[in-house]
Structure formats: C-alpha cells, structure tokens
Amino acid sequence: MGAKHAMDPDLLDEVGRRLLAELQEDARQPYAELGRKVGLTAPAVAERLRRMEVAGLIQGYRAQVNRSAMGWKLAAFVRIRAFPGQDSAIERFAADTAEVLECHEVTGEDSYLLKIAAANVQHLDRVITALAPLGATHSVLVLSTKVEGKILAPVGA
Amino acid sequence: MGAKHAMDPDLLDEVGRRLLAELQEDARQPYAELGRKVGLTAPAVAERLRRMEVAGLIQGYRAQVNRSAMGWKLAAFVRIRAFPGQDSAIERFAADTAEVLECHEVTGEDSYLLKIAAANVQHLDRVITALAPLGATHSVLVLSTKVEGKILAPVGA
DNA sequence: CTTGAAAAACGTGATGT
DNA sequence: ACATCACGTTTTTCAAG
C-alpha cells in the first residue's frame, strides 16, 4: 500500500527532468538525439529511461489520437451523486463504457466526475440516460478546449 | 474553416483502427510487430502511419508520466464563472500556469472547467486563490481516479 | 497502394574508466 | 554511473508489381 515504487531521487535531477519533458513532447525520438539534448550518450539515456520505467515514473508511451477526426465530435463532463449502493455500479459503467474517458471520485455533494466523449448530441444523451438510474447527474457540454495535454513539469521546477 | 485535414476514410478501415488501438497501448512497438498484428509488412505500416499523421489522426507520441511520482500528489477540478471581461484572463492563466492541466469552455452557469494538479493542499490553495479574482469558483478534490487514459476506439466500433 | 530487398540508422549488451 | 565499441535489429528508401 502507498509507496509502491522505490523513489530514487537521482532520477529527477536536471538531466532526468529534461528527459521527461522531451519524452512528453515526442516519445519516439532516438536515444542518441535525447542524449544530445541532455548531454548523455545513447546507452546512458536508455539505462536512465529503463530505471524511470521500473520506478513507475514513466508509465508508457502512447500515441495521441485526434478525437474529433475519429468521430468523437463532442465532449462533456458529468458529475453524478450516486444513489445509495450504486457506487460500484457507476465505477463498472465507467470502466466498461467506451464513451467514458475519465472517472474520478471527488469530494463534495457529487460522488464522481466523468469525462465523456460522444459522436453527437443523441449519442451523448444515450450515455447520460444510461447513467441516470445510478445517480443524480449534472452535465455540461464542452464548447471548446483551451488547454489539454500540457507537459508535466516536476513540482517546483 | 473547420475540416482542416483531408479526411481519407480508408485510413479508418479495420486495419487502421487496429493500428490506432495498438499505438495507444504502446507507441514504441517496431513496425514489423505492428504489421504482424494487423497483417501488413513493416514498410506498409510505416506508410499508413505517415498518412495518419499528415491527416491529423495521430497528433503525436507522448510518454505517460506518473503525476504522483513526480510530486503532484493532488488533483482537483475547478469550475469558474468568469467575472465580466475576465474570460481571456482566465484563458491566459490556464495556458501559463503549470498547475493547470486542462481548461475547457463549457455550457451552463460556469464559464470554464479546469483540471488542476498540485503538490499538496497549500499548493492547491495558492492556485485557487490566484483564480479567485477572475471569477466565482467551485472546487472539488479528486479522491481517487477510477478511469483515465482509456484507449479511444473509433465511433461505433 | 502495396511489396520486397538493400542501405542507413538505431537499440542493446559487454567492457573499461 | 557513464563512455566507447561491436553486433543484431529496426527503420527507411527505392525499384518493381
């Protein structure tokens, strides 16, 4: 429980932080180019990344896909106040439903906050309707996204 | 305006969809292995990916970094009802502040919904306090994240 | 548009500092 | 913990189907 991974602080020195920033911008750069940017050779970069992966600092390398181009034209946030005993049903729904992009348990009057994608308004309505039996929902549609996928810097950098 | 990219529908056939799914799970797989999974040779895979990139379907390849391991122990959602004339100030704040991970313009009484990361409660309080002059805020803390980074399937797949 | 083969570039392991 | 070198693999390019 708690601290799962050995937290080697040396991994987050100046070199480590610049590597993480570079990898968030482009995860497919050759090790040699990463090394050129941070002042290491390619094998040294590879070993640092390997250590960052086992430490759980790097969780994976993912392609970023354009939601709109794939047909998910709408995004929405739904907060839901679970009806008694429906919490686990909501979590299962979130895990099993392709339209649910994120599900967070939150403080306050609502139990969960869900980020949802849909092809159109009818589609979105279907998802929200499916949620209705599980709790009281409040939905807002995303009109435009101003910031998303920002590069994560180490705290206090 | 609107449709920026030539939307070649052939890119989202069965093979294209499986490639996108694979790349979302691991963006650093060799082309040959991707090809083995979808039934293409390595150069054919490379060519399809190149087309998907210029079509804007693939926006980039990003390392997924563990926020908690980097010191961002807390996450929160803040919805804010902008004071008159403060909308652009909020958007600038969101763009320039490292703690703001996402910023969406939304429907309803609130103007924006922000996803925020912080090292601790004091840190979070500083960010929310900085937002206070720009609008009326409602904040909820994330207690646990049940779903995040789900693989995006094509609509109706 | 896809395939197959060649050349160039890359990743990985061993060795030494 | 990093640099250097060597080897196997991968990416890339190009000619051809």
Side-chain angles (χ1 to χ4, degrees), chain B residues 26-51:
Chain B
D26 180 5
R28 299 192 55 149
Q29 298 177 70
Y31 292 159
E33 186 170 342
L34 288 170
R36 190 182 54 72
K37 289 174 179 167
V38 304
L40 289 181
T41 60
V45 170
E47 173 66 11
R48 277 189 94 112
L49 296 192
R50 193 194 59 75
R51 285 189 345 239

mmCIF file with all atom_site columns, all heavy atoms in Angstrom, chain B residues 26-51:
data_model
loop_
_atom_site.group_PDB
_atom_site.id
_atom_site.type_symbol
_atom_site.label_atom_id
_atom_site.label_alt_id
_atom_site.label_comp_id
_atom_site.label_asym_id
_atom_site.label_entity_id
_atom_site.label_seq_id
_atom_site.pdbx_PDB_ins_code
_atom_site.Cartn_x
_atom_site.Cartn_y
_atom_site.Cartn_z
_atom_site.occupancy
_atom_site.B_iso_or_equiv
_atom_site.pdbx_formal_charge
_atom_site.auth_seq_id
_atom_site.auth_comp_id
_atom_site.auth_asym_id
_atom_site.auth_atom_id
_atom_site.pdbx_PDB_model_num
ATOM 1   N N   . ASP B 1 26 ? 0.906  0.977   -26.936 1.00 0.00 ? 26 ASP B N   1
ATOM 2   C CA  . ASP B 1 26 ? 2.370  1.067   -26.897 1.00 0.00 ? 26 ASP B CA  1
ATOM 3   C C   . ASP B 1 26 ? 2.853  1.725   -28.177 1.00 0.00 ? 26 ASP B C   1
ATOM 4   O O   . ASP B 1 26 ? 2.852  1.092   -29.236 1.00 0.00 ? 26 ASP B O   1
ATOM 5   C CB  . ASP B 1 26 ? 2.989  -0.315  -26.725 1.00 0.00 ? 26 ASP B CB  1
ATOM 6   C CG  . ASP B 1 26 ? 4.511  -0.242  -26.680 1.00 0.00 ? 26 ASP B CG  1
ATOM 7   O OD1 . ASP B 1 26 ? 5.061  0.876   -26.687 1.00 0.00 ? 26 ASP B OD1 1
ATOM 8   O OD2 . ASP B 1 26 ? 5.153  -1.300  -26.628 1.00 0.00 ? 26 ASP B OD2 1
ATOM 9   N N   . ALA B 1 27 ? 3.268  2.966   -28.046 1.00 0.00 ? 27 ALA B N   1
ATOM 10  C CA  . ALA B 1 27 ? 3.654  3.754   -29.221 1.00 0.00 ? 27 ALA B CA  1
ATOM 11  C C   . ALA B 1 27 ? 5.057  3.423   -29.698 1.00 0.00 ? 27 ALA B C   1
ATOM 12  O O   . ALA B 1 27 ? 5.490  3.945   -30.719 1.00 0.00 ? 27 ALA B O   1
ATOM 13  C CB  . ALA B 1 27 ? 3.544  5.246   -28.898 1.00 0.00 ? 27 ALA B CB  1
ATOM 14  N N   . ARG B 1 28 ? 5.787  2.567   -28.999 1.00 0.00 ? 28 ARG B N   1
ATOM 15  C CA  . ARG B 1 28 ? 7.171  2.315   -29.378 1.00 0.00 ? 28 ARG B CA  1
ATOM 16  C C   . ARG B 1 28 ? 7.380  0.917   -29.935 1.00 0.00 ? 28 ARG B C   1
ATOM 17  O O   . ARG B 1 28 ? 8.501  0.429   -30.006 1.00 0.00 ? 28 ARG B O   1
ATOM 18  C CB  . ARG B 1 28 ? 8.093  2.566   -28.180 1.00 0.00 ? 28 ARG B CB  1
ATOM 19  C CG  . ARG B 1 28 ? 8.002  4.010   -27.725 1.00 0.00 ? 28 ARG B CG  1
ATOM 20  C CD  . ARG B 1 28 ? 9.087  4.389   -26.746 1.00 0.00 ? 28 ARG B CD  1
ATOM 21  N NE  . ARG B 1 28 ? 10.418 4.122   -27.245 1.00 0.00 ? 28 ARG B NE  1
ATOM 22  C CZ  . ARG B 1 28 ? 11.493 4.834   -26.914 1.00 0.00 ? 28 ARG B CZ  1
ATOM 23  N NH1 . ARG B 1 28 ? 11.381 5.841   -26.100 1.00 0.00 ? 28 ARG B NH1 1
ATOM 24  N NH2 . ARG B 1 28 ? 12.675 4.525   -27.380 1.00 0.00 ? 28 ARG B NH2 1
ATOM 25  N N   . GLN B 1 29 ? 6.308  0.260   -30.319 1.00 0.00 ? 29 GLN B N   1
ATOM 26  C CA  . GLN B 1 29 ? 6.445  -1.046  -30.949 1.00 0.00 ? 29 GLN B CA  1
ATOM 27  C C   . GLN B 1 29 ? 7.109  -0.910  -32.314 1.00 0.00 ? 29 GLN B C   1
ATOM 28  O O   . GLN B 1 29 ? 6.836  0.029   -33.050 1.00 0.00 ? 29 GLN B O   1
ATOM 29  C CB  . GLN B 1 29 ? 5.075  -1.691  -31.163 1.00 0.00 ? 29 GLN B CB  1
ATOM 30  C CG  . GLN B 1 29 ? 4.281  -1.966  -29.915 1.00 0.00 ? 29 GLN B CG  1
ATOM 31  C CD  . GLN B 1 29 ? 2.914  -2.527  -30.223 1.00 0.00 ? 29 GLN B CD  1
ATOM 32  O OE1 . GLN B 1 29 ? 2.787  -3.655  -30.664 1.00 0.00 ? 29 GLN B OE1 1
ATOM 33  N NE2 . GLN B 1 29 ? 1.892  -1.725  -30.021 1.00 0.00 ? 29 GLN B NE2 1
ATOM 34  N N   . PRO B 1 30 ? 7.953  -1.849  -32.677 1.00 0.00 ? 30 PRO B N   1
ATOM 35  C CA  . PRO B 1 30 ? 8.518  -1.867  -34.036 1.00 0.00 ? 30 PRO B CA  1
ATOM 36  C C   . PRO B 1 30 ? 7.416  -2.028  -35.072 1.00 0.00 ? 30 PRO B C   1
ATOM 37  O O   . PRO B 1 30 ? 6.395  -2.672  -34.832 1.00 0.00 ? 30 PRO B O   1
ATOM 38  C CB  . PRO B 1 30 ? 9.421  -3.103  -34.015 1.00 0.00 ? 30 PRO B CB  1
ATOM 39  C CG  . PRO B 1 30 ? 9.720  -3.360  -32.585 1.00 0.00 ? 30 PRO B CG  1
ATOM 40  C CD  . PRO B 1 30 ? 8.523  -2.893  -31.810 1.00 0.00 ? 30 PRO B CD  1
ATOM 41  N N   . TYR B 1 31 ? 7.648  -1.427  -36.235 1.00 0.00 ? 31 TYR B N   1
ATOM 42  C CA  . TYR B 1 31 ? 6.679  -1.530  -37.322 1.00 0.00 ? 31 TYR B CA  1
ATOM 43  C C   . TYR B 1 31 ? 6.413  -2.989  -37.706 1.00 0.00 ? 31 TYR B C   1
ATOM 44  O O   . TYR B 1 31 ? 5.291  -3.355  -38.061 1.00 0.00 ? 31 TYR B O   1
ATOM 45  C CB  . TYR B 1 31 ? 7.175  -0.764  -38.542 1.00 0.00 ? 31 TYR B CB  1
ATOM 46  C CG  . TYR B 1 31 ? 7.225  0.729   -38.361 1.00 0.00 ? 31 TYR B CG  1
ATOM 47  C CD1 . TYR B 1 31 ? 8.024  1.529   -39.151 1.00 0.00 ? 31 TYR B CD1 1
ATOM 48  C CD2 . TYR B 1 31 ? 6.448  1.352   -37.383 1.00 0.00 ? 31 TYR B CD2 1
ATOM 49  C CE1 . TYR B 1 31 ? 8.061  2.910   -38.979 1.00 0.00 ? 31 TYR B CE1 1
ATOM 50  C CE2 . TYR B 1 31 ? 6.486  2.722   -37.210 1.00 0.00 ? 31 TYR B CE2 1
ATOM 51  C CZ  . TYR B 1 31 ? 7.289  3.497   -38.015 1.00 0.00 ? 31 TYR B CZ  1
ATOM 52  O OH  . TYR B 1 31 ? 7.320  4.853   -37.850 1.00 0.00 ? 31 TYR B OH  1
ATOM 53  N N   . ALA B 1 32 ? 7.444  -3.799  -37.634 1.00 0.00 ? 32 ALA B N   1
ATOM 54  C CA  . ALA B 1 32 ? 7.264  -5.202  -38.016 1.00 0.00 ? 32 ALA B CA  1
ATOM 55  C C   . ALA B 1 32 ? 6.273  -5.905  -37.093 1.00 0.00 ? 32 ALA B C   1
ATOM 56  O O   . ALA B 1 32 ? 5.469  -6.722  -37.540 1.00 0.00 ? 32 ALA B O   1
ATOM 57  C CB  . ALA B 1 32 ? 8.614  -5.914  -37.994 1.00 0.00 ? 32 ALA B CB  1
ATOM 58  N N   . GLU B 1 33 ? 6.339  -5.562  -35.797 1.00 0.00 ? 33 GLU B N   1
ATOM 59  C CA  . GLU B 1 33 ? 5.415  -6.211  -34.867 1.00 0.00 ? 33 GLU B CA  1
ATOM 60  C C   . GLU B 1 33 ? 3.998  -5.689  -35.076 1.00 0.00 ? 33 GLU B C   1
ATOM 61  O O   . GLU B 1 33 ? 3.034  -6.471  -35.039 1.00 0.00 ? 33 GLU B O   1
ATOM 62  C CB  . GLU B 1 33 ? 5.874  -5.961  -33.423 1.00 0.00 ? 33 GLU B CB  1
ATOM 63  C CG  . GLU B 1 33 ? 5.035  -6.726  -32.419 1.00 0.00 ? 33 GLU B CG  1
ATOM 64  C CD  . GLU B 1 33 ? 5.625  -6.690  -31.025 1.00 0.00 ? 33 GLU B CD  1
ATOM 65  O OE1 . GLU B 1 33 ? 6.839  -6.382  -30.898 1.00 0.00 ? 33 GLU B OE1 1
ATOM 66  O OE2 . GLU B 1 33 ? 4.879  -6.970  -30.065 1.00 0.00 ? 33 GLU B OE2 1
ATOM 67  N N   . LEU B 1 34 ? 3.861  -4.401  -35.314 1.00 0.00 ? 34 LEU B N   1
ATOM 68  C CA  . LEU B 1 34 ? 2.548  -3.860  -35.638 1.00 0.00 ? 34 LEU B CA  1
ATOM 69  C C   . LEU B 1 34 ? 1.990  -4.550  -36.878 1.00 0.00 ? 34 LEU B C   1
ATOM 70  O O   . LEU B 1 34 ? 0.820  -4.923  -36.929 1.00 0.00 ? 34 LEU B O   1
ATOM 71  C CB  . LEU B 1 34 ? 2.644  -2.348  -35.886 1.00 0.00 ? 34 LEU B CB  1
ATOM 72  C CG  . LEU B 1 34 ? 2.877  -1.474  -34.656 1.00 0.00 ? 34 LEU B CG  1
ATOM 73  C CD1 . LEU B 1 34 ? 3.204  -0.046  -35.073 1.00 0.00 ? 34 LEU B CD1 1
ATOM 74  C CD2 . LEU B 1 34 ? 1.665  -1.494  -33.746 1.00 0.00 ? 34 LEU B CD2 1
ATOM 75  N N   . GLY B 1 35 ? 2.856  -4.709  -37.871 1.00 0.00 ? 35 GLY B N   1
ATOM 76  C CA  . GLY B 1 35 ? 2.425  -5.346  -39.101 1.00 0.00 ? 35 GLY B CA  1
ATOM 77  C C   . GLY B 1 35 ? 1.984  -6.781  -38.876 1.00 0.00 ? 35 GLY B C   1
ATOM 78  O O   . GLY B 1 35 ? 0.986  -7.230  -39.446 1.00 0.00 ? 35 GLY B O   1
ATOM 79  N N   . ARG B 1 36 ? 2.702  -7.491  -38.021 1.00 0.00 ? 36 ARG B N   1
ATOM 80  C CA  . ARG B 1 36 ? 2.320  -8.865  -37.715 1.00 0.00 ? 36 ARG B CA  1
ATOM 81  C C   . ARG B 1 36 ? 0.934  -8.912  -37.093 1.00 0.00 ? 36 ARG B C   1
ATOM 82  O O   . ARG B 1 36 ? 0.123  -9.797  -37.388 1.00 0.00 ? 36 ARG B O   1
ATOM 83  C CB  . ARG B 1 36 ? 3.359  -9.463  -36.754 1.00 0.00 ? 36 ARG B CB  1
ATOM 84  C CG  . ARG B 1 36 ? 3.240  -10.948 -36.520 1.00 0.00 ? 36 ARG B CG  1
ATOM 85  C CD  . ARG B 1 36 ? 4.282  -11.425 -35.512 1.00 0.00 ? 36 ARG B CD  1
ATOM 86  N NE  . ARG B 1 36 ? 4.233  -10.670 -34.255 1.00 0.00 ? 36 ARG B NE  1
ATOM 87  C CZ  . ARG B 1 36 ? 3.259  -10.792 -33.342 1.00 0.00 ? 36 ARG B CZ  1
ATOM 88  N NH1 . ARG B 1 36 ? 2.259  -11.619 -33.557 1.00 0.00 ? 36 ARG B NH1 1
ATOM 89  N NH2 . ARG B 1 36 ? 3.283  -10.071 -32.239 1.00 0.00 ? 36 ARG B NH2 1
ATOM 90  N N   . LYS B 1 37 ? 0.621  -7.933  -36.265 1.00 0.00 ? 37 LYS B N   1
ATOM 91  C CA  . LYS B 1 37 ? -0.674 -7.922  -35.581 1.00 0.00 ? 37 LYS B CA  1
ATOM 92  C C   . LYS B 1 37 ? -1.819 -7.573  -36.519 1.00 0.00 ? 37 LYS B C   1
ATOM 93  O O   . LYS B 1 37 ? -2.952 -8.014  -36.303 1.00 0.00 ? 37 LYS B O   1
ATOM 94  C CB  . LYS B 1 37 ? -0.637 -6.931  -34.411 1.00 0.00 ? 37 LYS B CB  1
ATOM 95  C CG  . LYS B 1 37 ? 0.222  -7.419  -33.247 1.00 0.00 ? 37 LYS B CG  1
ATOM 96  C CD  . LYS B 1 37 ? 0.349  -6.345  -32.173 1.00 0.00 ? 37 LYS B CD  1
ATOM 97  C CE  . LYS B 1 37 ? 1.192  -6.883  -30.997 1.00 0.00 ? 37 LYS B CE  1
ATOM 98  N NZ  . LYS B 1 37 ? 1.599  -5.794  -30.079 1.00 0.00 ? 37 LYS B NZ  1
ATOM 99  N N   . VAL B 1 38 ? -1.555 -6.743  -37.517 1.00 0.00 ? 38 VAL B N   1
ATOM 100 C CA  . VAL B 1 38 ? -2.644 -6.299  -38.383 1.00 0.00 ? 38 VAL B CA  1
ATOM 101 C C   . VAL B 1 38 ? -2.579 -6.925  -39.771 1.00 0.00 ? 38 VAL B C   1
ATOM 102 O O   . VAL B 1 38 ? -3.483 -6.708  -40.581 1.00 0.00 ? 38 VAL B O   1
ATOM 103 C CB  . VAL B 1 38 ? -2.670 -4.764  -38.518 1.00 0.00 ? 38 VAL B CB  1
ATOM 104 C CG1 . VAL B 1 38 ? -2.750 -4.110  -37.148 1.00 0.00 ? 38 VAL B CG1 1
ATOM 105 C CG2 . VAL B 1 38 ? -1.443 -4.278  -39.280 1.00 0.00 ? 38 VAL B CG2 1
ATOM 106 N N   . GLY B 1 39 ? -1.509 -7.682  -40.046 1.00 0.00 ? 39 GLY B N   1
ATOM 107 C CA  . GLY B 1 39 ? -1.413 -8.346  -41.331 1.00 0.00 ? 39 GLY B CA  1
ATOM 108 C C   . GLY B 1 39 ? -0.811 -7.493  -42.420 1.00 0.00 ? 39 GLY B C   1
ATOM 109 O O   . GLY B 1 39 ? -1.283 -7.492  -43.559 1.00 0.00 ? 39 GLY B O   1
ATOM 110 N N   . LEU B 1 40 ? 0.209  -6.719  -42.094 1.00 0.00 ? 40 LEU B N   1
ATOM 111 C CA  . LEU B 1 40 ? 0.915  -5.919  -43.086 1.00 0.00 ? 40 LEU B CA  1
ATOM 112 C C   . LEU B 1 40 ? 2.422  -6.088  -42.882 1.00 0.00 ? 40 LEU B C   1
ATOM 113 O O   . LEU B 1 40 ? 2.873  -6.549  -41.843 1.00 0.00 ? 40 LEU B O   1
ATOM 114 C CB  . LEU B 1 40 ? 0.560  -4.430  -42.957 1.00 0.00 ? 40 LEU B CB  1
ATOM 115 C CG  . LEU B 1 40 ? -0.828 -3.970  -43.365 1.00 0.00 ? 40 LEU B CG  1
ATOM 116 C CD1 . LEU B 1 40 ? -0.963 -2.469  -43.186 1.00 0.00 ? 40 LEU B CD1 1
ATOM 117 C CD2 . LEU B 1 40 ? -1.126 -4.351  -44.793 1.00 0.00 ? 40 LEU B CD2 1
ATOM 118 N N   . THR B 1 41 ? 3.179  -5.679  -43.896 1.00 0.00 ? 41 THR B N   1
ATOM 119 C CA  . THR B 1 41 ? 4.628  -5.657  -43.736 1.00 0.00 ? 41 THR B CA  1
ATOM 120 C C   . THR B 1 41 ? 5.037  -4.331  -43.101 1.00 0.00 ? 41 THR B C   1
ATOM 121 O O   . THR B 1 41 ? 4.266  -3.377  -43.056 1.00 0.00 ? 41 THR B O   1
ATOM 122 C CB  . THR B 1 41 ? 5.331  -5.800  -45.096 1.00 0.00 ? 41 THR B CB  1
ATOM 123 O OG1 . THR B 1 41 ? 4.925  -4.723  -45.930 1.00 0.00 ? 41 THR B OG1 1
ATOM 124 C CG2 . THR B 1 41 ? 4.979  -7.126  -45.737 1.00 0.00 ? 41 THR B CG2 1
ATOM 125 N N   . ALA B 1 42 ? 6.296  -4.294  -42.643 1.00 0.00 ? 42 ALA B N   1
ATOM 126 C CA  . ALA B 1 42 ? 6.765  -3.106  -41.940 1.00 0.00 ? 42 ALA B CA  1
ATOM 127 C C   . ALA B 1 42 ? 6.678  -1.828  -42.778 1.00 0.00 ? 42 ALA B C   1
ATOM 128 O O   . ALA B 1 42 ? 6.186  -0.810  -42.287 1.00 0.00 ? 42 ALA B O   1
ATOM 129 C CB  . ALA B 1 42 ? 8.205  -3.331  -41.444 1.00 0.00 ? 42 ALA B CB  1
ATOM 130 N N   . PRO B 1 43 ? 7.122  -1.819  -44.025 1.00 0.00 ? 43 PRO B N   1
ATOM 131 C CA  . PRO B 1 43 ? 7.011  -0.583  -44.802 1.00 0.00 ? 43 PRO B CA  1
ATOM 132 C C   . PRO B 1 43 ? 5.564  -0.153  -45.016 1.00 0.00 ? 43 PRO B C   1
ATOM 133 O O   . PRO B 1 43 ? 5.277  1.046   -45.045 1.00 0.00 ? 43 PRO B O   1
ATOM 134 C CB  . PRO B 1 43 ? 7.680  -0.933  -46.135 1.00 0.00 ? 43 PRO B CB  1
ATOM 135 C CG  . PRO B 1 43 ? 8.544  -2.099  -45.835 1.00 0.00 ? 43 PRO B CG  1
ATOM 136 C CD  . PRO B 1 43 ? 7.859  -2.865  -44.770 1.00 0.00 ? 43 PRO B CD  1
ATOM 137 N N   . ALA B 1 44 ? 4.676  -1.121  -45.168 1.00 0.00 ? 44 ALA B N   1
ATOM 138 C CA  . ALA B 1 44 ? 3.267  -0.778  -45.337 1.00 0.00 ? 44 ALA B CA  1
ATOM 139 C C   . ALA B 1 44 ? 2.726  -0.104  -44.084 1.00 0.00 ? 44 ALA B C   1
ATOM 140 O O   . ALA B 1 44 ? 1.967  0.879   -44.165 1.00 0.00 ? 44 ALA B O   1
ATOM 141 C CB  . ALA B 1 44 ? 2.460  -2.029  -45.651 1.00 0.00 ? 44 ALA B CB  1
ATOM 142 N N   . VAL B 1 45 ? 3.138  -0.618  -42.929 1.00 0.00 ? 45 VAL B N   1
ATOM 143 C CA  . VAL B 1 45 ? 2.721  0.011   -41.674 1.00 0.00 ? 45 VAL B CA  1
ATOM 144 C C   . VAL B 1 45 ? 3.258  1.432   -41.598 1.00 0.00 ? 45 VAL B C   1
ATOM 145 O O   . VAL B 1 45 ? 2.529  2.378   -41.284 1.00 0.00 ? 45 VAL B O   1
ATOM 146 C CB  . VAL B 1 45 ? 3.212  -0.805  -40.465 1.00 0.00 ? 45 VAL B CB  1
ATOM 147 C CG1 . VAL B 1 45 ? 2.991  -0.048  -39.164 1.00 0.00 ? 45 VAL B CG1 1
ATOM 148 C CG2 . VAL B 1 45 ? 2.527  -2.158  -40.428 1.00 0.00 ? 45 VAL B CG2 1
ATOM 149 N N   . ALA B 1 46 ? 4.543  1.603   -41.931 1.00 0.00 ? 46 ALA B N   1
ATOM 150 C CA  . ALA B 1 46 ? 5.139  2.938   -41.859 1.00 0.00 ? 46 ALA B CA  1
ATOM 151 C C   . ALA B 1 46 ? 4.403  3.922   -42.750 1.00 0.00 ? 46 ALA B C   1
ATOM 152 O O   . ALA B 1 46 ? 4.160  5.069   -42.366 1.00 0.00 ? 46 ALA B O   1
ATOM 153 C CB  . ALA B 1 46 ? 6.617  2.850   -42.247 1.00 0.00 ? 46 ALA B CB  1
ATOM 154 N N   . GLU B 1 47 ? 4.030  3.469   -43.930 1.00 0.00 ? 47 GLU B N   1
ATOM 155 C CA  . GLU B 1 47 ? 3.330  4.340   -44.866 1.00 0.00 ? 47 GLU B CA  1
ATOM 156 C C   . GLU B 1 47 ? 1.956  4.747   -44.333 1.00 0.00 ? 47 GLU B C   1
ATOM 157 O O   . GLU B 1 47 ? 1.563  5.901   -44.420 1.00 0.00 ? 47 GLU B O   1
ATOM 158 C CB  . GLU B 1 47 ? 3.209  3.627   -46.216 1.00 0.00 ? 47 GLU B CB  1
ATOM 159 C CG  . GLU B 1 47 ? 2.361  4.335   -47.235 1.00 0.00 ? 47 GLU B CG  1
ATOM 160 C CD  . GLU B 1 47 ? 2.963  5.670   -47.678 1.00 0.00 ? 47 GLU B CD  1
ATOM 161 O OE1 . GLU B 1 47 ? 4.136  5.924   -47.345 1.00 0.00 ? 47 GLU B OE1 1
ATOM 162 O OE2 . GLU B 1 47 ? 2.247  6.445   -48.324 1.00 0.00 ? 47 GLU B OE2 1
ATOM 163 N N   . ARG B 1 48 ? 1.241  3.788   -43.769 1.00 0.00 ? 48 ARG B N   1
ATOM 164 C CA  . ARG B 1 48 ? -0.077 4.116   -43.213 1.00 0.00 ? 48 ARG B CA  1
ATOM 165 C C   . ARG B 1 48 ? 0.041  5.087   -42.064 1.00 0.00 ? 48 ARG B C   1
ATOM 166 O O   . ARG B 1 48 ? -0.748 6.031   -41.950 1.00 0.00 ? 48 ARG B O   1
ATOM 167 C CB  . ARG B 1 48 ? -0.779 2.842   -42.757 1.00 0.00 ? 48 ARG B CB  1
ATOM 168 C CG  . ARG B 1 48 ? -1.480 2.107   -43.874 1.00 0.00 ? 48 ARG B CG  1
ATOM 169 C CD  . ARG B 1 48 ? -2.342 0.983   -43.345 1.00 0.00 ? 48 ARG B CD  1
ATOM 170 N NE  . ARG B 1 48 ? -3.720 1.373   -43.137 1.00 0.00 ? 48 ARG B NE  1
ATOM 171 C CZ  . ARG B 1 48 ? -4.738 0.906   -43.869 1.00 0.00 ? 48 ARG B CZ  1
ATOM 172 N NH1 . ARG B 1 48 ? -4.498 0.047   -44.820 1.00 0.00 ? 48 ARG B NH1 1
ATOM 173 N NH2 . ARG B 1 48 ? -5.961 1.275   -43.618 1.00 0.00 ? 48 ARG B NH2 1
ATOM 174 N N   . LEU B 1 49 ? 1.020  4.873   -41.195 1.00 0.00 ? 49 LEU B N   1
ATOM 175 C CA  . LEU B 1 49 ? 1.177  5.782   -40.062 1.00 0.00 ? 49 LEU B CA  1
ATOM 176 C C   . LEU B 1 49 ? 1.524  7.185   -40.552 1.00 0.00 ? 49 LEU B C   1
ATOM 177 O O   . LEU B 1 49 ? 1.021  8.176   -40.020 1.00 0.00 ? 49 LEU B O   1
ATOM 178 C CB  . LEU B 1 49 ? 2.256  5.267   -39.116 1.00 0.00 ? 49 LEU B CB  1
ATOM 179 C CG  . LEU B 1 49 ? 1.953  3.929   -38.438 1.00 0.00 ? 49 LEU B CG  1
ATOM 180 C CD1 . LEU B 1 49 ? 2.943  3.664   -37.327 1.00 0.00 ? 49 LEU B CD1 1
ATOM 181 C CD2 . LEU B 1 49 ? 0.537  3.910   -37.893 1.00 0.00 ? 49 LEU B CD2 1
ATOM 182 N N   . ARG B 1 50 ? 2.383  7.254   -41.552 1.00 0.00 ? 50 ARG B N   1
ATOM 183 C CA  . ARG B 1 50 ? 2.727  8.569   -42.080 1.00 0.00 ? 50 ARG B CA  1
ATOM 184 C C   . ARG B 1 50 ? 1.478  9.280   -42.593 1.00 0.00 ? 50 ARG B C   1
ATOM 185 O O   . ARG B 1 50 ? 1.269  10.461  -42.333 1.00 0.00 ? 50 ARG B O   1
ATOM 186 C CB  . ARG B 1 50 ? 3.744  8.415   -43.211 1.00 0.00 ? 50 ARG B CB  1
ATOM 187 C CG  . ARG B 1 50 ? 4.415  9.708   -43.653 1.00 0.00 ? 50 ARG B CG  1
ATOM 188 C CD  . ARG B 1 50 ? 5.144  9.537   -44.979 1.00 0.00 ? 50 ARG B CD  1
ATOM 189 N NE  . ARG B 1 50 ? 4.243  9.105   -46.054 1.00 0.00 ? 50 ARG B NE  1
ATOM 190 C CZ  . ARG B 1 50 ? 3.362  9.911   -46.652 1.00 0.00 ? 50 ARG B CZ  1
ATOM 191 N NH1 . ARG B 1 50 ? 3.264  11.163  -46.273 1.00 0.00 ? 50 ARG B NH1 1
ATOM 192 N NH2 . ARG B 1 50 ? 2.561  9.450   -47.607 1.00 0.00 ? 50 ARG B NH2 1
ATOM 193 N N   . ARG B 1 51 ? 0.628  8.551   -43.287 1.00 0.00 ? 51 ARG B N   1
ATOM 194 C CA  . ARG B 1 51 ? -0.611 9.166   -43.786 1.00 0.00 ? 51 ARG B CA  1
ATOM 195 C C   . ARG B 1 51 ? -1.529 9.568   -42.642 1.00 0.00 ? 51 ARG B C   1
ATOM 196 O O   . ARG B 1 51 ? -2.203 10.595  -42.690 1.00 0.00 ? 51 ARG B O   1
ATOM 197 C CB  . ARG B 1 51 ? -1.324 8.209   -44.741 1.00 0.00 ? 51 ARG B CB  1
ATOM 198 C CG  . ARG B 1 51 ? -0.634 8.159   -46.083 1.00 0.00 ? 51 ARG B CG  1
ATOM 199 C CD  . ARG B 1 51 ? -1.377 7.404   -47.184 1.00 0.00 ? 51 ARG B CD  1
ATOM 200 N NE  . ARG B 1 51 ? -2.453 6.545   -46.786 1.00 0.00 ? 51 ARG B NE  1
ATOM 201 C CZ  . ARG B 1 51 ? -2.505 5.236   -47.042 1.00 0.00 ? 51 ARG B CZ  1
ATOM 202 N NH1 . ARG B 1 51 ? -1.507 4.648   -47.688 1.00 0.00 ? 51 ARG B NH1 1
ATOM 203 N NH2 . ARG B 1 51 ? -3.533 4.531   -46.679 1.00 0.00 ? 51 ARG B NH2 1
#
